[in-house]
């Protein structure tokens, strides 16, 4: 069974501290087991992925106009499932789906929204959200030609260092 826990502490009527932890599970699914093309192969020892998510932060409102949320997060992902391009004995390339390591991604995100104008009929606000991610392999190997390359302490290939989003929101009624 999966388990999680969360809680919050109200600092005052508009600001709070919060934290949460939960287990994560990604089973091997049908699409992982059945090759999509004749050039795909699946590791017969493919295992389910699992891990946990943790976050804690401070969120609230200041001066009745500025809403904010500052969050620290961490994701542990074990038995990552991924695809590698390999060559067989005849030099033919194929895609090998397998478990190739454990990873940890941690970071921080700040979201802020400022209400420029708010009436009974409309609302205008601007927002910005910036996230920093540090995603690394904690353990893992990958075949690189004839050599098994150690992935430990390498950056995750699908995790950006920074993401920034901003915009203008206009609402009517």
């Amino acid at each position: 069974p999966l388990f999680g826990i969360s809680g919050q502490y109200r600092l005052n009527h508009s600001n709070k501290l919060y934290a949460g932890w939960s287990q994560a599970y990604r089973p091997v699914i049908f699409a992982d087991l059945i090759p999509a093309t004749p050039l795909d192969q699946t590791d017969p020892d493919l295992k389910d992925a699992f891990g946990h998510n943790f976050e804690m932060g401070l969120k609230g409102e200041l001066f009745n106009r500025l809403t904010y949320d500052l969050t620290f997060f961490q994701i542990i992902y074990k038995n990552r499932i991924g695809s590698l391009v390999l060559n067989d004995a005849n030099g033919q390339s194929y895609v090998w789906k397998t478990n190739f390591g454990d990873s940890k991604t941690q970071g921080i995100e700040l979201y802020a929204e400022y209400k420029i104008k708010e009436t009974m009929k409309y609302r205008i606000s601007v927002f910005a959200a910036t996230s920093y991610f540090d995603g690394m392999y904690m353990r893992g190997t990958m075949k690189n030609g004839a050599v098994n390359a150690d992935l430990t302490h390498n950056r995750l290939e699908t995790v950006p260092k920074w993401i920034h989003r901003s915009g203008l929101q206009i609402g009517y009624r």
Side-chain angles (χ1 to χ4, degrees):
L2 295 177
F3 177 75
I5 187 168
S6 66
Q8 67 180 9
Y9 176 76
R10 289 209 171 269
L11 300 169
N12 56 39
H13 71 283
S14 58
N15 296 284
K16 65 182 174 181
L17 292 167
Y18 62 90
W21 176 89
S22 64
Q23 291 177 317
Y25 175 71
R26 186 216 183 265
V28 173
I29 59 175
F30 186 74
D32 295 328
L33 297 173
I34 305 302
T37 72
L39 299 177
D40 292 355
Q41 296 181 26
T42 301
D43 184 346
D45 296 325
L46 192 65
K47 297 176 182 75
D48 296 337
F50 65 95
H52 75 258
N53 304 311
F54 170 75
E55 70 174 357
M56 64 183 219
L58 176 65
K59 73 187 292 186
E61 186 176 42
L62 301 170
F63 318 115
N64 290 327
R65 287 189 175 265
L66 179 65
T67 303
Y68 69 93
D69 189 349
L70 178 64
T71 306
F72 166 79
F73 59 89
Q74 181 182 75
I75 302 166
I76 300 290
Y77 189 3
K78 297 190 176 190
N79 290 338
R80 283 180 72 89
I81 298 171
S83 298
L84 306 171
V85 177
L86 303 175
N87 292 318
D88 64 16
N90 299 326
Q92 174 69 43
S93 294
Y94 64 96
V95 176
W96 178 249
K97 186 163 283 198
T98 188
N99 301 101
F100 57 88
D102 302 340
S103 67
K104 174 171 66 172
T105 302
Q106 55 190 11
I108 191 164
E109 180 175 32
L110 174 61
Y111 171 83
E113 181 179 350
Y114 182 76
K115 293 181 224 170
I116 296 171
K117 184 78 172 173
E118 186 171 35
T119 69
M120 295 295 259
K121 288 190 176 185
Y122 68 92
R123 176 182 178 197
I124 301 172
S125 67
V126 292
F127 71 90
T130 299
S131 302
Y132 169 77
F133 298 87
D134 183 23
M136 297 281 195
Y137 283 98
M138 299 184 319
R139 177 193 67 78
T141 57
M142 177 191 311
K143 187 172 174 87
N144 184 5
V147 177
N148 285 330
D150 185 9
L151 296 175
T152 306
H153 303 300
N154 283 318
R155 289 195 49 76
L156 291 172
E157 65 278 2
T158 57
V159 177
K161 224 10 162 178
W162 292 94
I163 295 178
H164 180 75
R165 302 167 300 277
S166 59
L168 170 70
Q169 299 182 107
I170 299 173
Y172 180 73
R173 291 195 186 189

